[in-house]
Amino acid sequence: MTVTSTYEQTIERTLFSKEEIASAVDRLARQIAEDHVGQPLLLLGVLKGALYVATDLARALAQVPNGPSDILVDYLCVSSYGNSTRSSGEVRMLKDTTERLTGRHVVLVEDIVDNGLTLSYLQALLKERNPASLRSCVLFDKPYHRLVDVPLEYVGLQCPDEFVVGYGLDYQELYRNLPYLAKLRQSVFTQEG
Ligand code: PRP
């Protein structure tokens, strides 16, 4: 695997390989397909983190026989962490959906759920738009520090209680494009100004 030299020196270990992630995404796609047979589906990815999982999920869904009648992908963009490793608890909507949600079957797609505030905020906000159904899908579930109880219909992988990067997840906007999930070396954080 080729990564940039900066990345290589700062990664402690791989937590989930590219193959393990692909297999989890395939499983999520089958579950989502099963719940939306013959229905038009709107996959709604939460940027920036869910960019990769939402696109991979959309392509995996296209390969499931007898799934949704059609699949549309849209994105919204929120930020709750900024450039910090800890959640501020404040969710800011940076870009709303372009599609109308009223009467649609919507699956909200997140890369990670940690304290749950981001997803909980979005679920409440989107429910007010009267979708026909609203379910939530998360690739990496980190259930150790929940501040709110957030319903998750589809869960990919249980993430260790570590600060993780890759496959959409960043540290100061870096590492999102790693094809696997990784733990960074502690030295990365101790060098933080
Ligand atoms: C991350 C992630 C989720 C949220 C989860 O987003 O993509 O949206 O944090 O955390 P929570 O469950 O503790 O609320 P972030 O705000 O870092 O923005 P990003 O997706 O642009 O990286």
Side-chain angles (χ1 to χ4, degrees):
M1 175 77 56
T2 306
V3 291
T4 69
S5 56
T6 313
Y7 281 8
E8 207 164 58
Q9 287 157 18
T10 52
I11 290 164
E12 186 173 303
R13 65 192 161 94
T14 300
L15 298 169
F16 292 111
S17 68
K18 184 179 169 183
E19 292 73 23
E20 286 172 314
I21 291 173
S23 137
V25 169
D26 282 346
R27 180 169 46 78
L28 290 170
R30 288 195 299 275
Q31 292 170 353
I32 292 171
E34 202 174 304
D35 288 345
H36 298 85
V37 175
Q39 294 175 344
L41 172 66
L42 176 60
L43 268 191
L44 190 52
V46 183
L47 294 177
K48 297 178 190 173
L51 172 64
Y52 298 92
V53 60
T55 50
D56 284 351
L57 201 48
R59 289 184 292 200
L61 269 161
Q63 310 226 7
V64 183
N66 306 319
S69 56
D70 55 67
I71 298 157
L72 213 141
V73 187
D74 195 7
Y75 291 93
L76 52 77
C77 184
V78 293
S79 181
S80 54
Y81 279 57
N83 272 343
S84 162
T85 55
R86 272 164 303 195
S87 173
S88 61
E90 180 196 337
V91 181
R92 284 187 302 143
M93 174 72 78
L94 303 179
K95 178 209 168 290
D96 208 332
T97 65
T98 51
E99 294 295 319
R100 280 175 59 81
L101 302 195
T102 311
R104 313 282 281 272
H105 294 284
V106 180
V107 172
L108 196 51
V109 182
E110 266 286 23
D111 51 337
I112 194 163
V113 175
D114 187 358
N115 65 33
L117 290 173
T118 309
L119 191 57
S120 178
Y121 166 86
L122 288 174
Q123 287 175 344
L125 181 84
L126 300 181
K127 260 181 208 158
E128 283 175 16
R129 300 180 186 183
N130 297 313
S133 64
L134 177 66
R135 296 181 173 97
S136 299
C137 172
V138 60
L139 180 57
F140 303 113
D141 186 19
K142 219 173 167 185
Y144 322 98
H145 308 284
R146 284 284 202 278
L147 293 178
V148 282
D149 190 21
V150 62
L152 295 172
E153 283 77 14
Y154 313 105
V155 176
L157 297 161
Q158 178 139 339
C159 183
D161 191 12
E162 308 277 7
F163 185 82
V164 292
V165 294
Y167 201 75
L169 288 144
D170 74 304
Y171 174 59
Q172 298 190 339
E173 293 302 323
L174 294 170
Y175 303 98
R176 290 193 197 274
N177 62 325
L178 280 182
Y180 51 87
L181 192 80
K183 179 183 179 200
L184 291 182
R185 291 187 194 283
Q186 191 57 36
S187 56
V188 177
F189 308 111
T190 48
Q191 281 162 15
E192 216 177 29

